[in-house]
Amino acid sequence: MKKDQHQLNWLMVSLIAFNMVWGLGNVVNNYSQQGISVVVSWVLILALYFIPYSLIVGQLGSTFKESGSGVSDWVEKTSTKRLAYFAAWTYWVVHIPYLAQKPQGILIPLGWALQGNGQFLKQIDIHWIVILCLLIFGLFLYLSTKGLTTLKVIGSLAGSAMLIMSLLFVLLAVGLPFIKPDIQFATPHMDQLSTYIPNFDFSYFTTISLLVFAVGGCEKISPYVNKMKKPSTDFPKGMMTLVLMVVTTAILGTFALALMFDTNNIPKDLLTNGTYYAFQTLGNYYGVGNLFLVIYAVVDFIGQVSIVIISIDAPLRMLLGSADEQYIPKKLLVKNENDVYTNGLKLVGVIVSILIII
């Protein structure tokens, strides 16, 4: 029983990966760039990139099920230790500046939840923002020392909540005509095929990278394959479930946005505040004010916390999990009773704190 408490099942893996890979922000960001025609773009990216990519991750995880360092172990098993080190170090180091900007990003949903707008950071002196960010990141480092137990609880909660909010958003948007029969949808001609066909020009292809970026990151769950009950079967199952959740929310979420925001007249700040505007608009339609907005902001806050903890721990496991002392100092391999690299966390803490201050 105690062993089961420290293991992941396929549903936990899919929910944690869903929270890392996906969010309504991905739907909003790409809708703000392409409008309703992004539906076709989603179909192409999901079919040509995300689905094969997720299945490849699932197959590699199943094959190397004893691995404790994920991607770097996969590279080592199929090439050399030197190349595995380069892959692991690269994966770890690119997360450092990402982690440095995350605490400030987490203050945004907190501001929306407390104030109902996006002005929170603009009202605080920059010195206090730095202090808050350092305190928040310090809390994340402390939570990371608790290991898989914290990851299971926060990750599963965040993934479940984000999936529920994504589906709720779709249901609320699609259900509007039944509540308000006289409502006019924002995007015209949604019943015509031509509305969904992109203009395949240079500008269109420059936005494709945003879609690729939106569906990246499921390999971050790879260091936890050996923490699963049945990794050979459950890890691929978790990846297939992830695919189903992403495909559903991407396509249906875009349709829901088109009902509220005219694809021919997209607000200029939809890219930065679109998810909050969407739930705020739904709340106004249903006569509940900012209720949906506040709930989503809280969910987004929990999701961001989960992402940061995983982004601290997973790349560190990739770097140190199967490290060769030829490349990694032995002191960095020290673990605590929760199987967490404590000295590695200290190194991350020092570097990220310096970047936050700068």
Side-chain angles (χ1 to χ4, degrees), residues 60-77 221-228 231 235 317-318 321-322 339 341:
L60 286 167
S62 174
T63 302
F64 304 111
K65 55 182 177 291
E66 304 300 327
S67 167
S69 55
V71 172
S72 61
D73 220 21
W74 301 349
V75 175
E76 181 182 340
K77 292 291 195 299
I221 197 72
S222 62
Y224 308 104
V225 173
N226 67 342
K227 309 293 185 184
M228 299 185 71
F235 189 70
R317 289 182 184 275
M318 291 184 193
S322 57
D339 193 38
Y341 295 98

Side-chain angles (χ1 to χ4, degrees), residues 31-32 34-36 184-190 195 256-267 270 285:
Y31 182 82
S32 69
Q34 296 187 25
I36 189 64
Q184 295 293 319
F185 291 137
T187 300
H189 310 302
M190 288 185 64
T195 304
L257 281 174
L259 300 178
M260 292 185 291
F261 301 102
D262 184 359
T263 190
N264 301 309
N265 189 26
I266 296 174
L270 190 68
Y285 280 144

Side-chain angles (χ1 to χ4, degrees), residues 42 72 90 105 108 134 180 270 281 345:
W42 278 128
S72 61
T90 304
I108 296 174
L134 289 172
K180 296 180 177 293
L270 190 68
T281 302
L345 287 180

Side-chain angles (χ1 to χ4, degrees), residues 148-168:
L148 191 63
T149 304
T150 300
L151 176 64
K152 281 174 59 176
V153 174
I154 297 180
S156 298
L157 174 63
S160 303
M162 184 56 69
L163 177 62
I164 291 170
M165 290 304 294
S166 299
L167 295 177
L168 180 64

Side-chain angles (χ1 to χ4, degrees), residues 216-343:
C218 71
E219 77 288 335
K220 202 180 292 184
I221 197 72
S222 62
Y224 308 104
V225 173
N226 67 342
K227 309 293 185 184
M228 299 185 71
K229 296 178 182 179
K230 301 176 182 177
S232 58
T233 56
D234 284 0
F235 189 70
K237 189 188 297 184
M239 290 298 98
M240 287 186 282
T241 306
L242 166 67
V243 167
L244 180 62
M245 291 190 292
V246 170
V247 170
T248 302
T249 51
I251 303 299
L252 296 182
T254 301
F255 279 112
L257 281 174
L259 300 178
M260 292 185 291
F261 301 102
D262 184 359
T263 190
N264 301 309
N265 189 26
I266 296 174
K268 292 182 178 179
D269 60 344
L270 190 68
L271 182 65
T272 53
N273 296 308
T275 49
Y276 303 105
Y277 285 157
F279 278 102
Q280 194 171 49
T281 302
L282 281 176
N284 292 333
Y285 280 144
Y286 281 90
V288 294
N290 282 343
L291 177 62
F292 296 148
L293 165 65
V294 172
I295 294 174
Y296 174 75
V298 172
V299 168
D300 191 29
F301 177 80
I302 297 172
Q304 295 298 325
V305 170
S306 170
I307 290 171
V308 172
I309 292 174
I310 295 170
S311 296
I312 292 172
D313 188 65
L316 202 57
R317 289 182 184 275
M318 291 184 193
L319 179 65
L320 304 178
S322 57
D324 191 309
E325 292 184 21
Q326 179 182 352
Y327 305 108
I328 300 292
K330 192 174 182 179
K331 285 187 177 181
L332 288 179
L333 305 180
V334 175
K335 290 184 179 181
N336 64 10
E337 65 277 8
N338 297 318
D339 193 38
V340 174
Y341 295 98
T342 49
N343 286 345

